[in-house]
Amino acid sequence: MGSAAYSGGQIWFSKPLGESFALVDVAGLSNVRVYQNNQLLGKTNAHGKLFLGNLAPYIGQQIFIDDRDIPLDIALDSVLKNATPRAGTAALVNFSAKKIFALTGRLNAQWKSGTIPVVEASLTISEGSEIIATTSTGPDGDFYLENIEKMTAGKSYRFTAITGAYECSGKLVIPNLKKTLIDLGVITCEQAHAN
């Protein structure tokens, strides 16, 4: 025999209810595994929710989700939450998420007799006097930059890259931000000079 409970604006059906229960909401993400005390309790539904019908009242219980089920372009506030429901009530366990927008590309510079990758440089992106973001370049002049929500599509930003030997600068134009990972391709510094 089953039970029904009303929580989060919806009626939920489950096995016989315990003294307390919880509604887990994983930011609308479906098929995310939900655990309590290393025991799999189920997966979120198509709306990112899972009803837990048997929790102990007045005791903090750790509810965690398997981050392997979270898409790579989503950042969660946490994968672990505590639920402490009162007797006969539901605890709402919300996991917040946001989409990650990132830039990637490779930076080159005209230096001495040719074009070289700007390797292991400190890279700063700015708008006027405000620094928008900082990162570094890798062994091929490659860079990766997350959290670019402050940037506006179609707008031009200045960058400065500083290595041990030289400094170079130029501009980045941000394309449409509909994609979560934007590859800017190869960018060449407009100016380069020795430190």
Side-chain angles (χ1 to χ4, degrees), residues 14-22 36 41 51-57 61 85:
S14 85
K15 296 175 183 175
L17 293 175
E19 293 182 63
S20 297
F21 35 96
Q36 179 194 9
L41 300 177
F51 182 76
L52 308 178
N54 192 11
L55 294 182
Q61 291 146 92

Side-chain angles (χ1 to χ4, degrees), residues 107-109 118 123-124 157-162 166-172 187-193:
L107 192 57
N108 284 343
V118 181
L123 178 61
T124 302
Y157 296 88
R158 295 296 300 170
F159 71 83
T160 303
I162 302 173
Y166 61 90
E167 177 177 324
C168 74
S169 60
K171 68 179 180 179
L172 297 175
I187 300 161
T188 302
C189 294
E190 296 166 0
Q191 302 173 13
H193 56 84

Side-chain angles (χ1 to χ4, degrees), residues 105-159:
R106 269 190 27 227
L107 192 57
N108 284 343
Q110 295 293 329
W111 184 245
K112 297 187 178 175
S113 59
T115 302
I116 60 169
V118 181
V119 300
E120 297 175 1
S122 169
L123 178 61
T124 302
I125 299 169
S126 58
E127 181 181 17
S129 60
E130 180 187 1
I131 293 175
I132 301 293
T134 59
T135 188
S136 57
T137 62
D140 297 318
D142 52 308
F143 64 89
Y144 177 82
L145 183 64
E146 285 184 357
N147 302 319
I148 60 167
E149 291 80 11
K150 283 183 169 180
M151 296 180 160
T152 305
K155 200 168 190 178
S156 178
Y157 296 88
R158 295 296 300 170
F159 71 83

Side-chain angles (χ1 to χ4, degrees), residues 7-195:
S7 181
Q10 186 173 346
I11 295 175
W12 298 88
F13 297 96
S14 85
K15 296 175 183 175
L17 293 175
E19 293 182 63
S20 297
F21 35 96
L23 179 61
V24 177
D25 186 347
V26 187
L29 300 172
S30 62
N31 292 316
V32 177
R33 286 170 284 184
V34 179
Y35 295 84
Q36 179 194 9
N37 300 328
N38 292 322
Q39 180 182 356
L40 177 64
L41 300 177
K43 290 184 175 183
T44 57
N45 66 14
H47 304 288
K49 295 181 180 178
L50 176 66
F51 182 76
L52 308 178
N54 192 11
L55 294 182
Y58 304 111
I59 297 171
Q61 291 146 92
Q62 292 187 332
I63 308 293
F64 64 96
I65 58 176
D66 195 328
D67 59 358
R68 292 173 297 182
D69 298 333
I70 306 300
L72 293 175
D73 61 349
I74 299 289
L76 290 173
D77 64 338
S78 173
V79 294
L80 175 68
K81 300 277 184 170
N82 284 313
T84 311
R86 293 178 294 165
T89 64
L92 296 177
V93 183
N94 289 311
F95 291 88
S96 302
K98 70 173 185 175
K99 221 161 182 45
I100 297 172
F101 290 92
L103 292 176
T104 187
R106 269 190 27 227
L107 192 57
N108 284 343
Q110 295 293 329
W111 184 245
K112 297 187 178 175
S113 59
T115 302
I116 60 169
V118 181
V119 300
E120 297 175 1
S122 169
L123 178 61
T124 302
I125 299 169
S126 58
E127 181 181 17
S129 60
E130 180 187 1
I131 293 175
I132 301 293
T134 59
T135 188
S136 57
T137 62
D140 297 318
D142 52 308
F143 64 89
Y144 177 82
L145 183 64
E146 285 184 357
N147 302 319
I148 60 167
E149 291 80 11
K150 283 183 169 180
M151 296 180 160
T152 305
K155 200 168 190 178
S156 178
Y157 296 88
R158 295 296 300 170
F159 71 83
T160 303
I162 302 173
T163 72
Y166 61 90
E167 177 177 324
C168 74
S169 60
K171 68 179 180 179
L172 297 175
V173 177
I174 307 302
N176 196 322
L177 292 178
K178 286 184 180 173
K179 289 184 179 178
T180 55
L181 179 61
I182 300 166
D183 186 355
L184 298 176
V186 178
I187 300 161
T188 302
C189 294
E190 296 166 0
Q191 302 173 13
H193 56 84
N195 286 336

